[in-house]
Amino acid sequence: MKGLAAGIGVVFLSPILIAGTGMMLASSADAVQSSGSFSNCLTDVDSNKVAEQVAKILDGASAKDVHVEGLDLPAEQVPNAQTIVAAGLSLDVPKKGQIIALATAMQESRLRNLSYGDRDSLGLFQQRPSQGWGSAEQVRDPTYASEQFYKHLLKVSGWQQMTVTQAAQAVQKSGLPDAYTQWEKLATALQGAIAKTFPGGNDADGKDTDHDQDQAQQSATPRCAPGQDGSGFGRIPEGSVPKGYSTPKDADPKARKAIAWAMQQLGTLYQWGGSCTNSHGPDPMGRCDCSSLMQQAYAHAGVTLTRTTYTQVGEGKAVSPAHLEPGDLIFSRGSAARPEHVGMYMGEGLVIEAPRTTKPVRITPIKDWTILAARRIL
């Protein structure tokens, strides 16, 4: 009878528990019912096996050849987990925070970007538009949803000293607050397997060292007369081409191709770790970060570049920032030996870049850059 009473209590009290004030999500019980129950507690996870299977999925293997215990739809779930980890890295969230986010999404949606849920709950984290998490379209964007989870987690006082379950519950306010613990070991294995696929993802503090820091760009020391430093174009709306700009006709043909391709990505949102292979598509990981924009732009001009700012700063040959040519790569933030940001000089005092999280690919005047190094690829 006690068991029956407890069951009735959950059925009738859960709506009360999850309908309180503040930003709340659908209960874990609802998510389990809507996405399939999981009866086996994952107490023994083989991290090496998980890493092997995750690598297969990320390399494009067929789901029928992949098995990860606890993930029944790995072809869908692993890319969503990758987005969660990438969002955490881009926001400098430590490893533990990424594990909390993964465990939460596994409990709430089984790492599926659901179009349904309890009341108006949607997406990976079953976030509710009616409770202020964003529009229905926004909370179903895996990157947006992940960033919102992290932002709320980081506001929880002492979250790093909490257990995974305590921290997740502090954000989610679920009717089943102990449900997250069953996913901790799988979340830990997934985080480790996915993080190592990103540049700098395995740093000890769990932070991304290759992403663009969220800081104001300092004005560079003028290297050219007004009007030649990009200031003549005035304010440039993000994602647009300045009126009157055209790629210099005397530029190297391959540089012209690279610049033209990069300009086709204008207005697409930045994604740390994104491949820049389909920036206009629905998959956030197809969008561009600063170094993948450079890599893919030159790839479309028939030139191979390495993947990160740390390695691209060694490509081609060094040139003086005072004698830039269209197609040159310029580096800022960090140090000259280990810069954290890269853009492509377009001529006429302009640079095209993928700046940072929440910002689109854009064109900026070179006067807004503090150039640490410049490389001529061609």
Side-chain angles (χ1 to χ4, degrees), residues 185-200:
K185 290 193 175 181
L186 178 55
T188 301
L190 282 173
Q191 192 280 336
I194 293 170
K196 70 181 182 181
T197 67
F198 291 110

Side-chain angles (χ1 to χ4, degrees), residues 56-79:
K56 288 182 180 179
I57 285 290
L58 296 180
D59 286 340
S62 170
K64 66 181 181 181
D65 300 323
V66 176
H67 174 71
V68 179
E69 185 179 1
L71 301 182
D72 54 354
L73 297 169
E76 176 182 357
Q77 293 162 312
V78 170

Side-chain angles (χ1 to χ4, degrees), residues 91-259:
L91 294 173
D92 282 344
V93 177
K95 176 180 178 179
K96 182 174 181 179
Q98 298 168 36
I99 292 170
I100 293 167
L102 288 168
T104 300
M106 280 189 272
Q107 174 58 25
E108 298 293 352
S109 69
R110 296 297 184 269
L111 281 172
R112 296 163 60 198
N113 192 19
L114 299 177
S115 60
Y116 56 87
D118 175 59
R119 286 168 283 190
D120 59 335
S121 301
L122 297 168
L124 289 175
F125 296 90
Q126 289 289 278
Q127 294 162 334
R128 296 183 59 192
S130 66
Q131 298 299 320
W133 288 90
S135 68
E137 182 180 6
Q138 286 176 320
V139 299
R140 289 208 67 228
D141 180 326
T143 298
Y144 174 90
S146 300
E147 290 173 352
Q148 287 299 305
F149 177 85
Y150 286 126
K151 289 175 182 178
H152 284 79
L153 174 65
L154 295 175
K155 292 179 181 178
V156 175
S157 178
W159 70 268
Q160 293 197 61
Q161 286 70 53
M162 296 178 180
T163 65
V164 167
T165 291
Q166 289 170 336
Q169 174 62 4
V171 176
Q172 301 297 96
K173 299 178 175 66
S174 167
L176 293 178
D178 298 323
Y180 304 102
T181 190
Q182 66 178 317
W183 302 105
E184 182 173 351
K185 290 193 175 181
L186 178 55
T188 301
L190 282 173
Q191 192 280 336
I194 293 170
K196 70 181 182 181
T197 67
F198 291 110
N202 272 340
D203 284 2
D205 62 359
K207 295 180 180 180
D208 160 33
T209 55
D210 184 45
H211 86 291
D212 305 320
Q213 300 296 328
D214 185 9
Q215 60 186 35
Q217 292 182 334
Q218 302 173 357
S219 295
T221 302
R223 298 178 182 85
C224 44
Q228 296 178 318
D229 60 3
S231 61
F233 290 100
R235 180 183 174 277
I236 305 172
E238 288 189 335
S240 68
V241 179
K243 185 177 181 180
Y245 170 80
S246 61
T247 309
K249 294 181 179 180
D250 58 352
D252 186 289
K254 290 185 177 180
R256 289 175 59 85
K257 286 185 179 180
I259 292 170

Side-chain angles (χ1 to χ4, degrees), residues 14-72:
S14 290
I16 298 174
L17 291 171
I18 63 177
T21 60
M23 291 183 171
M24 297 186 181
L25 308 183
S27 72
S28 297
D30 293 316
V32 169
Q33 291 168 359
S34 65
S35 55
S37 62
F38 181 74
S39 58
N40 297 320
C41 187
L42 291 174
T43 58
D44 200 10
V45 175
D46 185 336
S47 296
N48 291 331
K49 185 67 173 178
V50 170
E52 176 187 333
Q53 299 302 302
V54 166
K56 288 182 180 179
I57 285 290
L58 296 180
D59 286 340
S62 170
K64 66 181 181 181
D65 300 323
V66 176
H67 174 71
V68 179
E69 185 179 1
L71 301 182
D72 54 354

Side-chain angles (χ1 to χ4, degrees), residues 289-307:
D289 65 13
C290 63
S291 54
S292 66
L293 177 63
M294 303 299 105
Q295 182 189 48
Q296 291 302 316
Y298 264 112
H300 284 78
V303 178
T304 300
L305 290 184
T306 51
R307 174 63 181 84

